[in-house]
Every structure is written in structure tokens, then in C-alpha cells.
Amino acid sequence: MRQKMGRWFALVGLVGLMLIGGCSGANTDNASSGTASGDSAIAQSPVLTPAPGPATPYANLARLDGEATVEIRVKGSPIEIQVNGQDAPITAGNFVDLVNRGVYDGLMFHRVVREPEPFVVQGGDPQSKDASVPLGMLGTGSFIDPATSSPRYIPLEIKPAGAAEPVYGKTLEPGTAPVLKHTRGAVAMARSQFPDSASSQFYFTLADLGFLDGQYAVFGYVTRGMDVVDEIQQGDRIETARVTAGLENLKTGG
């Protein structure tokens, strides 16, 4: 029991270094280096997304009104993701929009954590397309919107169980269960300490990670190819990412 608890606390520590620093420069090689990840995350902090207005909340952001299916190919093998725009419309819309733009093609999985227990596979940093960018810099990049020449961030979006609408810009209160949970094969957005700092980086969960529920925005699940996810190594790349169904549900905003 003591050994099991020790492993659990080690995973909680990795959350702080790996996912809360999702837009920071920490990677699997330096995740245990102490405060570098947190300092970098603060230095990379974005301008926070405004709170939603009563009429058109986040009207300038992409939304997914319904569901979509995305296929990611890694080393020639497909990973199929069912994207849930019913319960996470902005987070799902952002991901489907980036896939449809071809943003993820050629990007690296820069963070893979399987020890002391299976944890996450993380990628989606646009900087990773450039092979000359040092591995230690990956995790700091965001999608630069060509329409504004600025990073595009989305709000933290989590729908509590039984609620009609998601909660924006903050984590759920302890004991409040989300609709979309961190079960094995969940797909969710990485972010810094700031709730509204997710952009393009996402992660697959390699196990049930209930202690992340209500803290990070899950927007879909792997429905085929979890064996491919299990074999991803740090440095592997997304060969292609394509929307194979549901693109008509994407609304690209104002």
C-alpha cells in the first residue's frame, strides 16, 4: 500500500510539472529539474480570454456544434478520435479547426510519460515542425492565428455532470464531477497554470487519471488505435491529421 501511494503522489507531481506547465518548456528529460517548468510557464503566460458575454460567448472562436471524427496517423497507423462538441464546443471546435487547417501535420510528440505509471502522451507544439528547435524548447509553443499574427488561446471549458452548459475560465470545485472524464484514451488540452492558456497542445491519457478531472478540458476519446498510442515514443511525429466526419458541424467564429 505504501509503495502504491508513493507512485500516486509521484504522478500528482508529474501533473504539476508536465500538464500545468503544458505551455512551458519542460519535457520528460528535465521534468524533475525543479522550478524551471513553473518559471517558464509564468514567462509564457498569455493574456487571459475575457469572460463570456450574455449573448454571444466567445463568438470569435471556433465551435463544434455536434460531433466529429478525426484520424491521426503515426508511423503509418491510424488513431481515430471521436470529438465531442456537445459537451465541449469551444475546445472541440478549436481542435477540429486546427486539424482542418493542417496545423498538426508533421508535429512531434515531445512528451511521453509512462513511469512510474502510465500517464500521458503529449504533442501539438507548432515549433516541433522545425527540426532545428531544441527539444527543451518544445512545450512553449502556441498556434499563431494568421488572421491576427498572434497566438490563439481558448478558455478552460469543463461541463459539470448534470449541468446544461460548461463552466468557463476556472476549474471545477472539489467533488464536482465533469461529464468528460480522464479515462484511458481521453484526449484533452494541455495548458499553463493560467486556466485560459490552452492553444494547440493536447495529450492522450494512457490510464484512468481521475485526479485530473475538473482541472483540464477533455474534448474527446480514442475509439480506434489505442494500441498505436501505447507505442508512441518521444520524438515520433504526426504524419497526417484529418477530419473524416462531422466537418459540417464546425463553425469558425467571427
Side-chain angles (χ1 to χ4, degrees):
M1 175 66 73
R2 183 172 297 176
Q3 182 181 21
K4 189 172 183 179
M5 288 296 293
R7 288 182 175 180
W8 187 89
F9 282 117
L11 281 178
V12 173
L14 281 172
V15 174
L17 289 169
M18 304 293 287
L19 292 181
I20 291 179
C23 295
S24 75
N27 58 49
T28 51
D29 294 327
N30 61 20
S32 61
S33 60
T35 60
S37 174
D39 292 344
S40 179
I42 292 172
Q44 292 290 328
S45 62
V47 176
L48 298 184
T49 308
T56 54
Y58 305 118
N60 61 317
L61 296 175
R63 299 177 66 91
L64 187 68
D65 293 337
E67 295 189 342
T69 304
V70 167
E71 182 188 86
I72 290 176
R73 297 191 75 87
V74 180
K75 293 187 286 190
S77 298
I79 302 165
E80 186 176 277
I81 302 168
Q82 193 70 21
V83 184
N84 185 332
Q86 296 175 337
D87 298 311
I90 291 176
T91 312
N94 177 73
F95 181 74
V96 171
D97 181 47
L98 295 181
V99 170
N100 194 48
R101 290 170 181 257
V103 169
Y104 291 116
D105 294 355
L107 299 192
M108 181 191 296
F109 289 103
H110 63 274
R111 180 174 296 137
V112 178
V113 183
R114 293 192 172 92
E115 298 295 338
E117 298 286 351
F119 189 43
V120 300
V121 171
Q122 184 176 329
D125 185 338
Q127 297 179 110
S128 67
K129 185 168 285 190
D130 184 350
S132 68
V133 175
L135 186 62
M137 281 293 295
L138 300 182
T140 64
S142 301
F143 167 65
I144 305 301
D145 191 334
T148 63
S149 300
S150 298
R152 185 174 84 185
Y153 300 108
I154 60 171
L156 179 62
E157 176 185 53
I158 305 175
K159 186 177 180 180
E165 300 291 337
V167 170
Y168 290 96
K170 61 182 180 180
T171 58
L172 298 188
E173 295 293 330
T176 302
V179 172
L180 302 178
K181 298 182 178 181
H182 283 80
T183 55
R184 171 172 156 81
V187 191
M189 295 302 292
R191 62 175 177 84
S192 73
Q193 294 100 320
F194 297 91
D196 299 342
S197 59
S199 181
S200 61
Q201 294 185 50
F202 68 95
Y203 59 92
F204 297 111
T205 58
L206 298 176
D208 293 350
L209 302 174
F211 54 87
L212 297 182
D213 287 346
Q215 306 298 307
Y216 298 90
V218 175
F219 61 88
Y221 295 90
V222 174
T223 54
R224 182 168 63 95
M226 195 61 202
D227 57 324
V228 180
V229 176
D230 287 334
E231 295 300 320
I232 291 174
Q233 302 297 321
Q234 185 182 54
D236 288 346
R237 293 185 178 273
I238 298 171
E239 293 168 355
T240 59
R242 297 288 181 267
V243 184
T244 58
L247 186 57
E248 68 277 5
N249 295 329
L250 177 65
K251 314 301 179 187
T252 55

